[in-house]
Amino acid sequence: MGDMTTFNIDNGYFEGLVRGYRSGILRRNDYHNLVECETLDDLKLHLQGTDYGPLLANDPSPLIVQTIDERLKERLVHEFTHIRNQCVQPLAQFLDYMTYGT
C-alpha cells in the first residue's frame, strides 16, 4: 500500500511536463506544409495552428529569419530552464553539466 501512495512522487510532474512538450513537437505533416510556404508570413500563418502560434504573434510583418531564430531560441531556453527547475537529482545534475559544462 505504501508503494501506491508514493508512486512517482519525485518525477510525476516532470514526466507530465515533458509529455506535454513532446505533444507540441511538429509532426511530419506540419513539416510538409511548412515546405510549401512561399513567404515567411505564410510560415507564420501555418505556425499559428500549432503550439508555436504565440511565438510570432506579436512580431509585425514582414518577418525576417533572425526574428524567427531569436524567438525559437528564447522558447528553447525557457522550456529547458523550466524542465531543469522541476527535475530532481541525478537528472538535475546532468542538466547542469549540459548547461555549464563542469
Side-chain angles (χ1 to χ4, degrees):
M1 186 71 168
D3 291 338
M4 293 304 276
T5 59
T6 60
F7 176 74
N8 224 358
I9 196 167
D10 289 329
N11 299 316
Y13 175 72
F14 175 70
E15 181 181 350
L17 183 68
V18 172
R19 285 179 186 253
Y21 285 152
R22 182 176 179 255
S23 71
I25 294 175
L26 298 177
R27 305 281 188 257
R28 181 181 304 258
N29 190 29
D30 294 317
Y31 283 108
H32 287 294
N33 290 336
L34 291 175
V35 169
E36 303 276 327
C37 294
E38 294 181 10
T39 66
L40 293 177
D41 288 326
D42 291 344
L43 180 103
K44 178 181 175 179
L45 184 63
H46 175 71
L47 287 177
Q48 286 178 347
T50 68
D51 283 0
Y52 295 90
L55 194 68
L56 301 169
N58 296 328
D59 292 314
S61 294
L63 281 177
I64 57 174
V65 174
Q66 288 81 7
T67 302
I68 297 170
D69 184 50
E70 287 174 16
R71 298 298 173 266
L72 290 172
K73 285 179 185 175
E74 288 170 3
R75 179 177 171 150
L76 178 66
V77 168
H78 175 75
E79 289 177 353
F80 182 86
T81 303
H82 188 66
I83 287 172
R84 166 57 191 95
N85 292 337
Q86 299 303 321
C87 66
V88 295
Q89 297 296 341
L91 180 59
Q93 185 177 13
F94 174 73
L95 294 178
D96 284 342
Y97 286 148
M98 285 179 52
T99 304
Y100 305 113
T102 56

mmCIF file with all atom_site columns, all heavy atoms in Angstrom, residues 69-80:
data_model
loop_
_atom_site.group_PDB
_atom_site.id
_atom_site.type_symbol
_atom_site.label_atom_id
_atom_site.label_alt_id
_atom_site.label_comp_id
_atom_site.label_asym_id
_atom_site.label_entity_id
_atom_site.label_seq_id
_atom_site.pdbx_PDB_ins_code
_atom_site.Cartn_x
_atom_site.Cartn_y
_atom_site.Cartn_z
_atom_site.occupancy
_atom_site.B_iso_or_equiv
_atom_site.pdbx_formal_charge
_atom_site.auth_seq_id
_atom_site.auth_comp_id
_atom_site.auth_asym_id
_atom_site.auth_atom_id
_atom_site.pdbx_PDB_model_num
ATOM 1   N N   . ASP A 1 69 ? 14.518 33.003 -35.630 1.00 0.00 ? 69 ASP A N   1
ATOM 2   C CA  . ASP A 1 69 ? 15.620 32.339 -34.937 1.00 0.00 ? 69 ASP A CA  1
ATOM 3   C C   . ASP A 1 69 ? 15.669 32.757 -33.467 1.00 0.00 ? 69 ASP A C   1
ATOM 4   O O   . ASP A 1 69 ? 15.792 31.909 -32.580 1.00 0.00 ? 69 ASP A O   1
ATOM 5   C CB  . ASP A 1 69 ? 16.935 32.674 -35.640 1.00 0.00 ? 69 ASP A CB  1
ATOM 6   C CG  . ASP A 1 69 ? 18.117 31.947 -35.049 1.00 0.00 ? 69 ASP A CG  1
ATOM 7   O OD1 . ASP A 1 69 ? 18.034 30.711 -34.887 1.00 0.00 ? 69 ASP A OD1 1
ATOM 8   O OD2 . ASP A 1 69 ? 19.132 32.611 -34.746 1.00 0.00 ? 69 ASP A OD2 1
ATOM 9   N N   . GLU A 1 70 ? 15.534 34.047 -33.202 1.00 0.00 ? 70 GLU A N   1
ATOM 10  C CA  . GLU A 1 70 ? 15.557 34.541 -31.823 1.00 0.00 ? 70 GLU A CA  1
ATOM 11  C C   . GLU A 1 70 ? 14.403 33.985 -31.008 1.00 0.00 ? 70 GLU A C   1
ATOM 12  O O   . GLU A 1 70 ? 14.590 33.559 -29.864 1.00 0.00 ? 70 GLU A O   1
ATOM 13  C CB  . GLU A 1 70 ? 15.492 36.069 -31.805 1.00 0.00 ? 70 GLU A CB  1
ATOM 14  C CG  . GLU A 1 70 ? 16.755 36.755 -32.240 1.00 0.00 ? 70 GLU A CG  1
ATOM 15  C CD  . GLU A 1 70 ? 16.582 38.264 -32.348 1.00 0.00 ? 70 GLU A CD  1
ATOM 16  O OE1 . GLU A 1 70 ? 15.584 38.792 -31.790 1.00 0.00 ? 70 GLU A OE1 1
ATOM 17  O OE2 . GLU A 1 70 ? 17.426 38.893 -32.989 1.00 0.00 ? 70 GLU A OE2 1
ATOM 18  N N   . ARG A 1 71 ? 13.204 33.991 -31.577 1.00 0.00 ? 71 ARG A N   1
ATOM 19  C CA  . ARG A 1 71 ? 12.029 33.500 -30.847 1.00 0.00 ? 71 ARG A CA  1
ATOM 20  C C   . ARG A 1 71 ? 12.148 32.012 -30.539 1.00 0.00 ? 71 ARG A C   1
ATOM 21  O O   . ARG A 1 71 ? 11.769 31.562 -29.451 1.00 0.00 ? 71 ARG A O   1
ATOM 22  C CB  . ARG A 1 71 ? 10.743 33.765 -31.623 1.00 0.00 ? 71 ARG A CB  1
ATOM 23  C CG  . ARG A 1 71 ? 10.422 35.214 -31.874 1.00 0.00 ? 71 ARG A CG  1
ATOM 24  C CD  . ARG A 1 71 ? 10.210 36.007 -30.584 1.00 0.00 ? 71 ARG A CD  1
ATOM 25  N NE  . ARG A 1 71 ? 10.073 37.417 -30.889 1.00 0.00 ? 71 ARG A NE  1
ATOM 26  C CZ  . ARG A 1 71 ? 11.068 38.295 -30.874 1.00 0.00 ? 71 ARG A CZ  1
ATOM 27  N NH1 . ARG A 1 71 ? 12.281 37.914 -30.551 1.00 0.00 ? 71 ARG A NH1 1
ATOM 28  N NH2 . ARG A 1 71 ? 10.871 39.554 -31.168 1.00 0.00 ? 71 ARG A NH2 1
ATOM 29  N N   . LEU A 1 72 ? 12.646 31.236 -31.496 1.00 0.00 ? 72 LEU A N   1
ATOM 30  C CA  . LEU A 1 72 ? 12.816 29.795 -31.262 1.00 0.00 ? 72 LEU A CA  1
ATOM 31  C C   . LEU A 1 72 ? 13.847 29.527 -30.173 1.00 0.00 ? 72 LEU A C   1
ATOM 32  O O   . LEU A 1 72 ? 13.650 28.651 -29.319 1.00 0.00 ? 72 LEU A O   1
ATOM 33  C CB  . LEU A 1 72 ? 13.209 29.092 -32.559 1.00 0.00 ? 72 LEU A CB  1
ATOM 34  C CG  . LEU A 1 72 ? 12.112 29.005 -33.612 1.00 0.00 ? 72 LEU A CG  1
ATOM 35  C CD1 . LEU A 1 72 ? 12.676 28.461 -34.921 1.00 0.00 ? 72 LEU A CD1 1
ATOM 36  C CD2 . LEU A 1 72 ? 10.962 28.133 -33.131 1.00 0.00 ? 72 LEU A CD2 1
ATOM 37  N N   . LYS A 1 73 ? 14.943 30.273 -30.189 1.00 0.00 ? 73 LYS A N   1
ATOM 38  C CA  . LYS A 1 73 ? 15.963 30.107 -29.145 1.00 0.00 ? 73 LYS A CA  1
ATOM 39  C C   . LYS A 1 73 ? 15.418 30.505 -27.782 1.00 0.00 ? 73 LYS A C   1
ATOM 40  O O   . LYS A 1 73 ? 15.680 29.828 -26.783 1.00 0.00 ? 73 LYS A O   1
ATOM 41  C CB  . LYS A 1 73 ? 17.200 30.932 -29.470 1.00 0.00 ? 73 LYS A CB  1
ATOM 42  C CG  . LYS A 1 73 ? 18.045 30.332 -30.571 1.00 0.00 ? 73 LYS A CG  1
ATOM 43  C CD  . LYS A 1 73 ? 19.249 31.206 -30.871 1.00 0.00 ? 73 LYS A CD  1
ATOM 44  C CE  . LYS A 1 73 ? 20.022 30.654 -32.053 1.00 0.00 ? 73 LYS A CE  1
ATOM 45  N NZ  . LYS A 1 73 ? 21.142 31.560 -32.427 1.00 0.00 ? 73 LYS A NZ  1
ATOM 46  N N   . GLU A 1 74 ? 14.662 31.597 -27.720 1.00 0.00 ? 74 GLU A N   1
ATOM 47  C CA  . GLU A 1 74 ? 14.061 32.028 -26.457 1.00 0.00 ? 74 GLU A CA  1
ATOM 48  C C   . GLU A 1 74 ? 13.139 30.949 -25.898 1.00 0.00 ? 74 GLU A C   1
ATOM 49  O O   . GLU A 1 74 ? 13.163 30.664 -24.700 1.00 0.00 ? 74 GLU A O   1
ATOM 50  C CB  . GLU A 1 74 ? 13.273 33.324 -26.649 1.00 0.00 ? 74 GLU A CB  1
ATOM 51  C CG  . GLU A 1 74 ? 14.114 34.539 -26.871 1.00 0.00 ? 74 GLU A CG  1
ATOM 52  C CD  . GLU A 1 74 ? 13.303 35.764 -27.294 1.00 0.00 ? 74 GLU A CD  1
ATOM 53  O OE1 . GLU A 1 74 ? 12.047 35.672 -27.360 1.00 0.00 ? 74 GLU A OE1 1
ATOM 54  O OE2 . GLU A 1 74 ? 13.926 36.796 -27.570 1.00 0.00 ? 74 GLU A OE2 1
ATOM 55  N N   . ARG A 1 75 ? 12.349 30.359 -26.771 1.00 0.00 ? 75 ARG A N   1
ATOM 56  C CA  . ARG A 1 75 ? 11.430 29.308 -26.326 1.00 0.00 ? 75 ARG A CA  1
ATOM 57  C C   . ARG A 1 75 ? 12.192 28.086 -25.829 1.00 0.00 ? 75 ARG A C   1
ATOM 58  O O   . ARG A 1 75 ? 11.863 27.517 -24.789 1.00 0.00 ? 75 ARG A O   1
ATOM 59  C CB  . ARG A 1 75 ? 10.484 28.914 -27.457 1.00 0.00 ? 75 ARG A CB  1
ATOM 60  C CG  . ARG A 1 75 ? 9.526  27.815 -27.030 1.00 0.00 ? 75 ARG A CG  1
ATOM 61  C CD  . ARG A 1 75 ? 8.546  27.470 -28.091 1.00 0.00 ? 75 ARG A CD  1
ATOM 62  N NE  . ARG A 1 75 ? 7.811  26.280 -27.710 1.00 0.00 ? 75 ARG A NE  1
ATOM 63  C CZ  . ARG A 1 75 ? 6.581  26.040 -28.070 1.00 0.00 ? 75 ARG A CZ  1
ATOM 64  N NH1 . ARG A 1 75 ? 5.940  26.904 -28.808 1.00 0.00 ? 75 ARG A NH1 1
ATOM 65  N NH2 . ARG A 1 75 ? 5.996  24.937 -27.688 1.00 0.00 ? 75 ARG A NH2 1
ATOM 66  N N   . LEU A 1 76 ? 13.232 27.684 -26.563 1.00 0.00 ? 76 LEU A N   1
ATOM 67  C CA  . LEU A 1 76 ? 14.031 26.532 -26.157 1.00 0.00 ? 76 LEU A CA  1
ATOM 68  C C   . LEU A 1 76 ? 14.682 26.765 -24.802 1.00 0.00 ? 76 LEU A C   1
ATOM 69  O O   . LEU A 1 76 ? 14.624 25.903 -23.919 1.00 0.00 ? 76 LEU A O   1
ATOM 70  C CB  . LEU A 1 76 ? 15.098 26.240 -27.215 1.00 0.00 ? 76 LEU A CB  1
ATOM 71  C CG  . LEU A 1 76 ? 16.050 25.094 -26.898 1.00 0.00 ? 76 LEU A CG  1
ATOM 72  C CD1 . LEU A 1 76 ? 15.303 23.776 -26.866 1.00 0.00 ? 76 LEU A CD1 1
ATOM 73  C CD2 . LEU A 1 76 ? 17.174 25.058 -27.923 1.00 0.00 ? 76 LEU A CD2 1
ATOM 74  N N   . VAL A 1 77 ? 15.257 27.934 -24.605 1.00 0.00 ? 77 VAL A N   1
ATOM 75  C CA  . VAL A 1 77 ? 15.906 28.250 -23.327 1.00 0.00 ? 77 VAL A CA  1
ATOM 76  C C   . VAL A 1 77 ? 14.878 28.289 -22.198 1.00 0.00 ? 77 VAL A C   1
ATOM 77  O O   . VAL A 1 77 ? 15.121 27.750 -21.108 1.00 0.00 ? 77 VAL A O   1
ATOM 78  C CB  . VAL A 1 77 ? 16.673 29.585 -23.422 1.00 0.00 ? 77 VAL A CB  1
ATOM 79  C CG1 . VAL A 1 77 ? 17.105 30.077 -22.052 1.00 0.00 ? 77 VAL A CG1 1
ATOM 80  C CG2 . VAL A 1 77 ? 17.875 29.441 -24.344 1.00 0.00 ? 77 VAL A CG2 1
ATOM 81  N N   . HIS A 1 78 ? 13.724 28.874 -22.454 1.00 0.00 ? 78 HIS A N   1
ATOM 82  C CA  . HIS A 1 78 ? 12.673 28.939 -21.432 1.00 0.00 ? 78 HIS A CA  1
ATOM 83  C C   . HIS A 1 78 ? 12.207 27.539 -21.032 1.00 0.00 ? 78 HIS A C   1
ATOM 84  O O   . HIS A 1 78 ? 12.098 27.237 -19.831 1.00 0.00 ? 78 HIS A O   1
ATOM 85  C CB  . HIS A 1 78 ? 11.496 29.770 -21.943 1.00 0.00 ? 78 HIS A CB  1
ATOM 86  C CG  . HIS A 1 78 ? 10.334 29.782 -21.021 1.00 0.00 ? 78 HIS A CG  1
ATOM 87  N ND1 . HIS A 1 78 ? 10.314 30.523 -19.859 1.00 0.00 ? 78 HIS A ND1 1
ATOM 88  C CD2 . HIS A 1 78 ? 9.146  29.125 -21.073 1.00 0.00 ? 78 HIS A CD2 1
ATOM 89  C CE1 . HIS A 1 78 ? 9.167  30.318 -19.233 1.00 0.00 ? 78 HIS A CE1 1
ATOM 90  N NE2 . HIS A 1 78 ? 8.440  29.480 -19.954 1.00 0.00 ? 78 HIS A NE2 1
ATOM 91  N N   . GLU A 1 79 ? 11.951 26.670 -22.012 1.00 0.00 ? 79 GLU A N   1
ATOM 92  C CA  . GLU A 1 79 ? 11.485 25.320 -21.711 1.00 0.00 ? 79 GLU A CA  1
ATOM 93  C C   . GLU A 1 79 ? 12.567 24.504 -21.013 1.00 0.00 ? 79 GLU A C   1
ATOM 94  O O   . GLU A 1 79 ? 12.287 23.766 -20.066 1.00 0.00 ? 79 GLU A O   1
ATOM 95  C CB  . GLU A 1 79 ? 11.015 24.622 -22.989 1.00 0.00 ? 79 GLU A CB  1
ATOM 96  C CG  . GLU A 1 79 ? 9.716  25.193 -23.519 1.00 0.00 ? 79 GLU A CG  1
ATOM 97  C CD  . GLU A 1 79 ? 9.279  24.563 -24.826 1.00 0.00 ? 79 GLU A CD  1
ATOM 98  O OE1 . GLU A 1 79 ? 10.044 23.763 -25.414 1.00 0.00 ? 79 GLU A OE1 1
ATOM 99  O OE2 . GLU A 1 79 ? 8.172  24.893 -25.276 1.00 0.00 ? 79 GLU A OE2 1
ATOM 100 N N   . PHE A 1 80 ? 13.812 24.625 -21.461 1.00 0.00 ? 80 PHE A N   1
ATOM 101 C CA  . PHE A 1 80 ? 14.905 23.894 -20.821 1.00 0.00 ? 80 PHE A CA  1
ATOM 102 C C   . PHE A 1 80 ? 15.072 24.339 -19.370 1.00 0.00 ? 80 PHE A C   1
ATOM 103 O O   . PHE A 1 80 ? 15.222 23.510 -18.473 1.00 0.00 ? 80 PHE A O   1
ATOM 104 C CB  . PHE A 1 80 ? 16.214 24.095 -21.591 1.00 0.00 ? 80 PHE A CB  1
ATOM 105 C CG  . PHE A 1 80 ? 17.371 23.338 -21.005 1.00 0.00 ? 80 PHE A CG  1
ATOM 106 C CD1 . PHE A 1 80 ? 17.586 22.021 -21.358 1.00 0.00 ? 80 PHE A CD1 1
ATOM 107 C CD2 . PHE A 1 80 ? 18.224 23.939 -20.095 1.00 0.00 ? 80 PHE A CD2 1
ATOM 108 C CE1 . PHE A 1 80 ? 18.642 21.302 -20.813 1.00 0.00 ? 80 PHE A CE1 1
ATOM 109 C CE2 . PHE A 1 80 ? 19.279 23.234 -19.546 1.00 0.00 ? 80 PHE A CE2 1
ATOM 110 C CZ  . PHE A 1 80 ? 19.488 21.912 -19.913 1.00 0.00 ? 80 PHE A CZ  1
#
